């Protein structure tokens, strides 16, 4: 049983609340769905690439191989890591929402929010602690993805130059030039997922059950992703205003020459979304009626 | 087949018009090939620099191995992009005089030197090569440029730059200019969602790409093992 120690030192006090929130997240079985899903998907992708990776690579590089020969070890741990990141970063927001969408509304549904509010903790501190704890969960989810994808990738396939496949271009990065890019990409992915966690927490503030915020977050991400995928002129006008457009900026870390202006702009848009969502959440949660 | 017939007819007419006959062309090619024929095997360091609009890659180091008559292999630690044609494909064709028809089609000045232009047409209709046009520096018996028209890869223009090893027809540098098509795969397959096109609108994409290969540290006629040519 975790006991909340109240202390005058605000930093220590805050840390205790965060710890309490982390313990609550770890106590819920749903928090492990993400880790299990990542483990299964990463394992399956590695198995598929091990058994049939060369055919897959052959298929996606066909436009190049009609005129040229690609010499060298194309199927390698770095490529598999990249493919996993590219595939999973679309799905991870859904796994994140599963936990962060429940942070406030879950308390409401169980009736524990009233109990929490009787503690000598302000609503602002409580929300901040939940926000931090939610993002600690996101951090460990991404860390698990990074370790698993890289570790298994290098173990099965070994290192090698990375072919980054875009719909209209190919970039080939030298093996020694990839690790820092992967780590930066994970850092940017973390910021992107913080947008998702703050958005789902915002929805969670307006709901009395967890299903609503989780499903709504997923629906918004799916809708924005579909708009982002379709090359329709009307959608091209909307795309810059969707946070999902800026969430994929991690891919720009794999350009041969980095477009820093574009990267910084997207990072600031993501940060602005985090502050905006968290700010609205704070206002909503402070005025939230917990008695009804 | 009809096209091949027309090409042959035009070339023969042109050849006869400037007073050159096929045996002269064969003799010239024999002289050119004699230099390379003295190389039984070689290995060389290569620096491969690909300049293709849709491909972003830094120059890559590789090792090139050749063993007469037709063993050829490029090995690189990283990923290198190469032309489909082997560097020695032309010499392999020229080595078998019964495999092609050759005509001298004219002379022109290349970098201040007079060169003779020849056309080679493979006799077999199953080969990928349809026509080879080569520019020969007759003073040094070296190929300085060739243009290979193939069924599958369009036209490939190759510029040869010779240095110290010109006596063996081993170039210091080769520039391949290759027809390229626009690179496009569905966004869903590339998992390239929410991305903007990297191609600038209204900008004409170049229709050719270049691969520049610089050679250094030739080691030749030292007896190269077949092990080097085994696929990994």
């Amino acid at each position: 049983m975790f006991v909340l120690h109240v202390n005058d030192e605000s930093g220590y006090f805050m840390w205790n609340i965060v710890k309490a929130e982390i313990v609550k997240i770890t106590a819920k079985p749903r928090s492990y769905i993400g880790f299990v899903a990542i483990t299964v998907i990463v394992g399956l992708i590695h198995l598929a690439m091990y058994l049939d990776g060369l055919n897959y690579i052959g298929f996606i590089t066909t436009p190049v191989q009609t005129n040229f020969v690609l010499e060298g070890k194309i199927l390698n741990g770095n490529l598999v890591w990249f493919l996993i990141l590219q595939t999973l970063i679309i799905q991870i927001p859904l796994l994140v929402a599963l936990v962060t969408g429940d942070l406030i509304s879950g308390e409401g549904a169980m009736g524990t929010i009233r109990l929490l509010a009787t503690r000598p903790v302000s609503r602002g501190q409580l929300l901040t602690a939940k926000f931090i704890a939610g993002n600690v969960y996101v951090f460990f989810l991404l860390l698990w993805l990074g370790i698993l994808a890289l570790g298994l990738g290098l173990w099965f396939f070994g290192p090698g130059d990375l072919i980054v496949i875009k719909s209209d271009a190919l970039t080939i990065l030298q093996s020694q030039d990839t690790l820092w890019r992967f780590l930066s990409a994970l850092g940017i992915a973390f910021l992107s997922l913080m947008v998702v966690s703050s958005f789902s927490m915002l929805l969670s503030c307006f709901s009395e059950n967890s299903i609503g915020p989780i499903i709504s977050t997923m629906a918004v991400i799916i809708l924005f992703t579909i708009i982002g995928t379709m090359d329709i002129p009307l959608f091209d006008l909307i795309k810059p205003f969707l946070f999902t457009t800026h969430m994929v900026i991690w891919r720009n870390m794999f350009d041969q020459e980095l477009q820093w202006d574009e990267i910084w702009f997207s990072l600031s848009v993501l940060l602005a979304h985090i502050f905006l969502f968290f700010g609205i959440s704070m206002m909503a949660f402070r005025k939230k009626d917990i008695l009804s | 087949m009809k096209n091949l017939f027309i090409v042959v007819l035009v070339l023969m007419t042109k050849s006869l018009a400037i007073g050159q006959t096929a045996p002269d062309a064969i003799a010239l090619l024999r002289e050119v090939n004699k230099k390379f024929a003295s190389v039984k095997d070689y290995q060389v360091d290569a620096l491969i620099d690909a300049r293709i609009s849709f491909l972003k890659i830094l120059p890559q180091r590789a090792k090139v191995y050749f063993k007469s008559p037709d063993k050829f292999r490029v090995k690189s630690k990283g990923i290198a992009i190469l032309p489909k044609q082997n560097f020695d494909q032309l010499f392999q064709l020229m080595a078998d005089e019964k495999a092609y028809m050759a005509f001298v089609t004219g002379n022109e000045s290349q970098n201040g030197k007079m060169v003779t232009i020849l056309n080679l047409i493979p006799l077999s209709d199953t080969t990928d090569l349809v026509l080879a046009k080569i520019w020969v520096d007759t003073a040094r018996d070296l190929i300085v440029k060739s243009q290979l028209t193939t069924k599958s890869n369009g036209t490939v223009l190759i510029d040869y730059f010779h240095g110290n090893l010109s006596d063996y027809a081993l170039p210091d540098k080769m520039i391949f200019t290759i027809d390229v098509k626009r690179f496009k795969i569905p966004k869903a397959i590339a998992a390239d969602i929410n991305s903007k096109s990297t191609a600038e609108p209204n900008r004409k994409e170049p229709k050719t790409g270049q691969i520049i290969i610089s050679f250094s540290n030739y080691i030749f006629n030292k007896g190269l093992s077949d092990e080097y040519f085994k696929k990994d």
Side-chain angles (χ1 to χ4, degrees), chain A residues 27 37 41 55 65 91 94 137 142 150 156-158 161 163 170 174 177 193 198 227 230 239 247 260 287:
Chain A
I41 295 167
N55 281 340
Q65 304 226 30
Q91 327 296 344
L94 311 181
Y137 171 78
L142 267 179
L150 177 66
F156 275 122
F157 304 99
D161 286 2
I163 294 191
L170 271 186
Q174 294 182 340
D177 194 26
L193 292 177
S198 53
I227 292 172
M230 298 175 90
K239 281 177 198 175
M247 280 171 63
W260 284 111
K287 291 178 181 169

Side-chain angles (χ1 to χ4, degrees), chain B residues 131-191:
Chain B
L131 172 70
K133 185 176 180 182
I134 57 176
W135 285 254
V136 176
D137 177 352
T138 45
R140 298 192 297 161
D141 290 331
L142 287 172
I143 297 174
V144 291
K145 189 159 94 173
S146 67
Q147 187 185 54
L148 309 177
T149 305
T150 61
K151 288 174 193 163
S152 58
N153 303 318
T155 303
V156 181
L157 191 71
I158 310 168
D159 289 288
Y160 301 77
F161 300 88
H162 293 89
N164 294 339
L165 295 172
S166 59
D167 288 347
Y168 300 92
L170 295 173
D172 283 355
K173 187 160 91 171
M174 289 171 85
I175 300 177
F176 292 78
T177 306
I178 302 166
D179 291 343
V180 289
K181 291 171 193 149
R182 196 171 165 228
F183 181 85
K184 193 79 188 161
I185 55 173
K187 280 187 170 185
I189 291 174

